Amino acid sequence: MNTILIVAEHDGRALNLSTAKCLSCALAISGDIDIVVLGHGVAAVAQEAAALAGVRKVMAVDAEHLAKPLAVNWAPELLNLGAGYSHVLGPSTTLGKDLIPRVAALAGVNQLSDVMEVLDARSFRRPIYAGNAIIDVAVAEGVLVVMTVRIASWPAAPAGGSATVESRPASVAAASHTRFVGLESAGGERPDLQGATRVVSGGRALGSAENFKLIYSLADKLGAGVGASRAAVDAGYVPNDMQVGQTGKIISPDLYLAFGISGAIQHVTGIKDAGTIVAVNKDGEAPIFEVADIGLVGDLFTIIPEIERLL
Ligand SMILES: Cc1cc2nc3c(=O)[nH]c(=O)nc-3n(C[C@H](O)[C@H](O)[C@H](O)COP(=O)(O)OP(=O)(O)OC[C@H]3O[C@@H](n4cnc5c(N)ncnc54)[C@H](O)[C@@H]3O)c2cc1C
């Protein structure tokens, strides 16, 4: 029987959608599925996790030094709680990419990254070479499976469960050599890029941080998250947590609008799982049109105001 432990991603108030997506992956593995909520003042988050359908129990570890998701504090806690489990899962978000490798290292096993499909409880499918090839990976019997789940590949498991919630004391003291200094988040009230159902992105063509306000304005009208190409990030128009692509975020919105983005393979890697892709580019030969469902050849500086007028 598989026993699967999922680490919950949350902001202290609510569960991130990535947890329900990890649960879908765990359900595909099949077995007893538990969720651990690490943090401080996380009773509401633990209840939210317990309401997901298919969860056996939720362990809530409440301690002041766990309030911020510092991998140095969370990883040993997760490893201790994971003792006796066959699988430990986390999302392939910024949190999971930081935390799960530490857990794997502490456990002395290889990490399995970006699992997109479960073949059986020990064999998994994942992308390599920026999504240009898919590889099947098997984990030997008796070895703890520590993996990140490619959240763009999995639907969110629905609510409808009523798992028990257990409080657990923290088992590891706070690390003394690492401390939380601050969090700067650019998104404000906009939907989280990796959970958003609509995303509006801008590229180098925007030309400046000032002009990027056009993208924010359209996104706000659409209730969308905001993304960017690496060129826009490198040019300093937007912060790098908005980067979409191979070295940015892999996203799967229902609707993706790309303005002034050429469609380099490293960018397209990040939007492969998007539902409908709309591209606006003044170059009719731009590679983004090869993946776009709807393409408009034209100047974004005239097209964006026109779209806004129609909304
Ligand atoms: C190892 C590696 C990893 C990378 N990772 C990423 C990644 O994660 N994400 C990512 O995005 N890139 C990544 N890149 C960079 C990638 O190769 C491209 O350089 C980048 O995506 C280009 O960004 P862009 O499309 O905004 O700029 P450009 O390629 O310069 O394209 C700008 C586009 O805007 C169009 N345009 C210009 N003016 C207008 C206008 N007024 N109206 C409409 N269209 C206009 C142009 O026709 C052009 O197609 C990576 C590269 C490497 C080598």
Side-chain angles (χ1 to χ4, degrees), residues 3 8 34 47-48 93 126 132 140 148 156-157 159 163 169-170 175 204 221 241 253 257 311:
T3 45
D34 298 341
Q47 286 302 337
E48 210 185 325
T93 55
R126 59 167 299 243
N132 287 313
T148 60
R204 193 199 308 269
K221 285 225 165 95
D241 62 352
L257 295 111
L311 293 173

Side-chain angles (χ1 to χ4, degrees), residues 278-296:
V278 179
V280 174
N281 196 303
K282 68 178 186 185
D283 174 8
E285 301 295 315
I288 190 82
F289 290 127
E290 287 166 25
V291 293
D293 300 283
I294 300 169
L296 287 172

Side-chain angles (χ1 to χ4, degrees), residues 234-275:
D234 288 350
Y237 307 160
V238 292
N240 68 0
D241 62 352
M242 282 168 55
Q243 184 175 315
V244 172
Q246 180 188 340
T247 44
K249 290 183 173 150
I250 309 285
I251 59 173
S252 55
D254 297 335
L255 177 64
Y256 185 73
L257 295 111
F259 291 95
I261 293 179
S262 58
I265 182 71
Q266 297 91 350
H267 186 82
V268 170
T269 294
I271 56 169
K272 276 201 170 99
D273 297 288

Side-chain angles (χ1 to χ4, degrees), residues 38 66 69-82 98-104 106 172:
L38 302 167
L66 298 176
L70 289 182
V72 69
N73 289 330
W74 278 34
E77 206 65 63
L78 186 54
L79 184 73
N80 287 349
L81 288 164
D98 188 30
L99 175 65
I100 300 299
R102 271 183 187 259
V103 176
L106 290 170
V172 182

